[in-house]
Amino acid sequence: MEGKQCIGILTSGGDAPGMNAAIRAVTRTAIYNGFEVRGIMRGYKGLITDEIIPFQTENVSNIIQQGGTILKTARSEEFRTAEGRKTAYENILKHGITALVVIGGDGSLTGARIFATEYNFPIVGLPGTIDNDLFGTDTTIGYDTALNTIVQSVDKIRDTATSHERIFFIEVMGREAGFLALNGAIASGAEAAIIPEIATEVDQLGEFIQHGFRKSKNSSIVLVAESELTGGAMGLAERVKNEFPQYDVRVTILGHIQRGGSPTATDRILASRMGEAAIYALLEDQRNVMIGIQNDELVYIPFSKAIKNQKPIKHELLNTLKTLSI
Ligand code: ATP
């Protein structure tokens, strides 16, 4: 990149803890390198409605520990249309923005890819999603915090499950991916995880209940990834209630508490490293890439790869869960 640069930052899609740490890192690294910064409110929506404000280092003071995103986030149907993106581009020109850093999940990076290609505009993406479902990165900003929230919640539910000798189906987020459910199950000592990647697991549920449950335990916790493929916690609980009326079955849907809260140290460090890397990627004339992390090394993943490929779940983790829950 040559000449005076002005970096626009936005957060888009579902919020994730650590997004603020990423905004701070992008802003400060840009300013450190002599660039100007503009904060774009409400994701692509604000780019279209022209909610764009100058950012100084003070704008990102005291936010590293805050969940959510100070830039707010929104979903924008207009940005899916060529006309909406044209207005967005006009606003970018109006504010003298020379490159964008987009922090968000799969959908946000899809939008970034389309826009970057359409206007030949430099964009670097950061994987900001609790779902951990982006290909090419071992983990995403917000995932570790959400996982820890799930584990804390399941620990509490375990107390009541044990006291009442109940089976609990606990539904966690994941948007068609089982990372939160599977790793949450291992970390909380749950008896099973029902995840969309292994559709047959759903059929194994009956067997698990019949042979596994109550052999040596007086309660069971099953983590269920929200997905049409798993049927969700409600669907599974109904099935078990019908087939095994002798069991006391309960459902908890953890819902939005999984998104909130102060980011863990792991997420803050990840967001800080990735935010810094986004600016250095632009300095190296990288564009249309997402910053990923693989074996603790930061890498550039083309948008096309990050969003098109499905990130595989580690199948051996299912065995770990099975072995440890006997
Ligand atoms: P999460 O993983 O938390 O759901 P996300 O980034 O995947 O986050 P989406 O709602 O899928 O969230 O996408 C966010 C926004 O990205 C959309 O509201 C839309 O503005 C933009 N977007 C998504 N897909 C496209 C597309 N095909 N073309 C243009 N813009 C898109």
Side-chain angles (χ1 to χ4, degrees):
M1 290 202 307
E2 280 169 25
K4 188 76 187 158
Q5 302 297 324
C6 177
I7 312 295
I9 318 173
L10 64 84
T11 50
S12 166
D15 63 309
M19 278 182 163
N20 281 328
I23 294 167
R24 170 180 178 270
V26 172
T27 303
R28 296 223 163 140
T29 310
I31 292 172
Y32 178 85
N33 282 283
F35 299 168
E36 285 191 16
V37 180
R38 300 283 180 271
I40 300 157
M41 303 300 293
R42 297 178 180 82
Y44 296 126
K45 197 173 174 195
L47 205 51
I48 293 171
T49 55
D50 196 8
E51 290 183 82
I52 301 172
I53 46 177
F55 253 34
Q56 313 297 341
T57 53
E58 308 85 80
N59 290 86
V60 295
S61 293
N62 205 16
I63 64 167
I64 195 169
Q65 76 282 18
Q66 290 173 21
T69 158
I70 59 160
L71 287 174
K72 315 284 182 200
T73 183
R75 298 203 145 93
S76 167
E77 282 312 306
E78 243 190 304
F79 196 74
R80 292 177 188 271
T81 67
E83 213 159 292
R85 291 193 296 274
K86 185 167 170 277
T87 310
Y89 187 62
E90 283 163 5
N91 284 329
I92 278 179
L93 293 182
K94 187 170 120 187
H95 289 270
I97 294 170
T98 54
L100 276 182
V101 176
V102 171
I103 309 167
D106 189 70
S108 305
L109 300 187
T110 303
R113 183 184 178 215
I114 292 169
F115 186 77
T117 315
E118 216 164 38
Y119 291 99
N120 190 24
F121 193 77
I123 305 186
V124 169
L126 298 186
T129 167
I130 64 165
D131 305 329
N132 195 24
D133 60 348
L134 285 162
F135 183 88
T137 186
D138 294 343
T139 185
T140 56
I141 297 165
Y143 173 65
D144 184 68
T145 307
L147 195 52
N148 277 286
T149 301
I150 289 169
V151 171
Q152 285 161 16
S153 308
V154 175
D155 286 350
K156 290 182 179 155
I157 294 169
R158 170 78 74 187
D159 291 343
T160 172
T162 314
S163 303
H164 286 277
E165 305 187 304
R166 281 173 173 157
I167 303 178
F168 263 88
F169 288 94
I170 303 175
E171 186 172 300
V172 301
M173 288 183 168
R175 221 188 56 152
E176 305 302 325
F179 297 98
L180 285 172
L182 181 53
N183 286 310
I186 292 174
S188 60
E191 277 62 40
I194 309 293
I195 57 173
E197 289 87 343
I198 322 275
T200 54
E201 281 292 297
V202 177
D203 301 316
Q204 288 165 24
L205 185 71
E207 199 198 333
F208 154 74
I209 299 285
Q210 223 157 20
H211 301 296
F213 182 58
R214 293 202 181 200
K215 248 190 193 162
S216 57
K217 306 182 174 203
N218 64 2
S219 71
S220 266
I221 302 261
V222 179
L223 261 62
V224 184
E226 60 166 5
S227 162
E228 283 190 4
L229 288 171
T230 61
M234 285 288 191
L236 287 169
E238 277 312 308
R239 222 189 96 189
V240 172
K241 269 188 210 163
N242 288 336
E243 286 178 39
F244 308 94
Q246 69 274 33
Y247 294 143
D248 195 6
V249 178
R250 291 289 186 278
V251 170
T252 301
I253 295 173
L254 289 186
H256 285 83
I257 61 163
Q258 294 166 89
R259 288 198 180 282
S262 182
T264 58
T266 301
D267 270 332
R268 295 181 198 194
I269 294 165
L270 180 72
S272 299
R273 289 178 69 190
M274 286 182 158
E276 181 194 27
I279 296 301
Y280 288 112
L282 288 167
L283 274 167
E284 285 173 23
D285 280 330
Q286 294 281 344
R287 43 170 67 203
N288 277 344
V289 293
M290 177 191 85
I291 307 292
I293 191 158
Q294 295 176 1
N295 300 320
D296 205 36
E297 295 292 331
L298 295 168
V299 291
Y300 301 140
I301 309 293
F303 283 152
S304 52
K305 268 197 178 172
I307 54 192
K308 275 219 178 112
N309 298 335
Q310 208 203 343
K311 182 162 159 183
I313 202 113
K314 269 204 169 74
H315 282 243
E316 58 261 39
L317 290 178
L318 278 163
N319 290 333
T320 305
L321 178 61
K322 266 186 200 146
T323 308
L324 302 185
S325 64
I326 54 171

